[in-house]
Amino acid sequence: NAGTFTNNSGGTTGAVTNNSGGTFTNSGTTGNVTNAGTFTNNSGGVTGTVNNSGTFTNAGTVTTVTNTGTFTNTGTTGAVTNTSGTFNNNAGGTTGTVNNSATFNNRGTVTTVTNSGTFTNYSTGITGAVTNSGTLTNSGSTGTVTNTGTVNNTGTTGNVANNATGTFNNNVGGVTGTVTNALNATFNNRGTVTTVTNTGQFTNYSTGTAGAVTNTGTLSNAGTVASLVNTGTATNTGAISGTVTNTSGTFTNSGTTGNWTNSDTINNSGTMGNGTNNIGASLTNNSGGQIGNVTNSGVLVNNTGATVGAIDNTVDGTVDNYGTAGAVTNANIMSNHGT
């Protein structure tokens, strides 16, 4: 067809080739369609596979679509492969699996998405699992996200696997499930995240709220974290409301924490709860630092201007006090220059 072809309700055709400049309108049933012109599949229209390099608007039912043109859907389609065009799945549109390497805008419902192009999931958009190696902007709802590209989220996602080279930005308003942030990956949180396992770079900004965090990479927290287990490098200027377990890393605190256990290195100038400093561990409480009661089997240095509660210095412990300490029970080495 290079002219105008209308297949009305009740009409049945076989395969249709609609050439550039042609107009094909379907309200009936057609076989496969190859479209380089303008193809409108109206509500009630049923088509087979559509190969579109022109303009295709669907309010009916389509089996599958391969698109290199412009495809707008408010109906129902099966799988869509969008290789070099624009696919708009608008409100009311329902789509199966989408494989996008161009531009995909979703305001409807999609089963799953594999994206290596630009995918925008708007506030009304709902998708299942998303695998992203391109750019994903989400203000709607997605299932699990596997990312090696760039994600900007102000909506809701399921669990996130942010793999090497990936950048995941969970912005204000964004809510995610568990985030696993891999080596050489970057996770920036200004929203809410359930739990985090980090071996890359995790920054929790002042508006960010995270549940339990396990860190073997680099963590910078200015927001709120429920608890921390650290074997990497962690810096806290915000609040860790629960426990801090520093097993084989470095933890630097100028914020607040709950109770703590240290088996490596802690440097404090903030406020920390009661804790245990194990054999071989180093705890330095600097000016302005306030620490609760300490059971010490490592090295505790309480510097000028710092305060520590009661100290139980075991047979393996060493204490140097230049600041203010509470009651001291000493079974090994204690040197006092303060109060």
Side-chain angles (χ1 to χ4, degrees):
N1 177 58
T4 300
F5 174 36
T6 301
N7 188 45
N8 293 314
S9 178
T12 302
T13 73
V16 175
T17 299
N18 190 48
N19 295 322
S20 179
T23 300
F24 174 35
T25 302
N26 180 56
S27 301
T29 302
T30 77
N32 297 339
V33 177
T34 300
N35 178 58
T38 300
F39 173 32
T40 302
N41 192 47
N42 290 324
S43 178
V46 178
T47 77
T49 295
V50 175
N51 193 327
N52 179 60
S53 59
T55 301
F56 174 32
T57 302
N58 178 57
T61 302
V62 182
T63 305
T64 60
V65 179
T66 299
N67 182 58
T68 58
T70 300
F71 172 33
T72 301
N73 182 55
T74 56
T76 301
T77 77
V80 176
T81 302
N82 189 49
T83 56
S84 60
T86 299
F87 172 33
N88 300 306
N89 192 49
N90 290 332
T94 301
T95 304
T97 296
V98 175
N99 193 326
N100 178 60
S101 54
T103 301
F104 173 35
N105 300 307
N106 182 53
R107 293 175 171 87
T109 302
V110 183
T111 305
T112 60
V113 179
T114 299
N115 178 58
S116 59
T118 300
F119 171 32
T120 303
N121 194 47
Y122 289 90
S123 59
T124 58
I126 299 171
T127 78
V130 178
T131 300
N132 179 62
S133 59
T135 300
L136 164 61
T137 301
N138 178 55
S139 58
S141 176
T142 77
T144 59
V145 176
T146 302
N147 181 53
T148 55
T150 300
V151 176
N152 295 298
N153 181 55
T154 55
T156 301
T157 77
N159 295 341
V160 175
N162 193 40
N163 295 327
T165 74
T167 298
F168 190 97
N169 300 307
N170 193 44
N171 294 321
V172 174
V175 178
T176 74
T178 295
V179 174
T180 302
N181 193 51
L183 183 67
N184 298 321
T186 300
F187 175 41
N188 299 310
N189 183 52
R190 293 176 170 88
T192 302
V193 55
T194 305
T195 60
V196 180
T197 299
N198 178 57
T199 55
Q201 173 70 50
F202 171 32
T203 303
N204 195 45
Y205 289 89
S206 60
T207 58
T209 300
V213 175
T214 300
N215 179 58
T216 59
T218 301
L219 164 65
S220 177
N221 177 54
T224 302
V225 170
S227 63
L228 172 64
V229 175
N230 182 55
T231 57
T233 300
T235 301
N236 179 52
T237 59
I240 300 174
S241 56
T243 58
V244 173
T245 304
N246 189 54
T247 56
S248 61
T250 298
F251 177 62
T252 302
N253 180 59
S254 58
T256 61
T257 79
N259 293 340
W260 51 273
T261 301
N262 181 40
S263 299
D264 199 329
T265 303
I266 291 180
N267 297 299
N268 179 60
S269 58
T271 301
M272 300 181 69
N274 301 329
T276 300
N277 197 44
N278 290 323
I279 295 173
S282 171
L283 170 63
T284 303
N285 195 30
N286 294 311
S287 179
Q290 298 181 34
I291 299 178
N293 300 334
V294 177
T295 299
N296 181 58
S297 299
V299 176
L300 166 59
V301 177
N302 192 47
N303 283 319
T304 303
T307 302
V308 64
I311 300 173
D312 180 6
N313 193 44
T314 72
V315 294
D316 299 300
T318 300
V319 176
D320 284 320
N321 180 50
Y322 298 87
T324 301
V328 177
T329 301
N330 181 46
N332 194 26
I333 299 172
M334 168 79 184
S335 178
N336 183 50
H337 310 273
T339 302

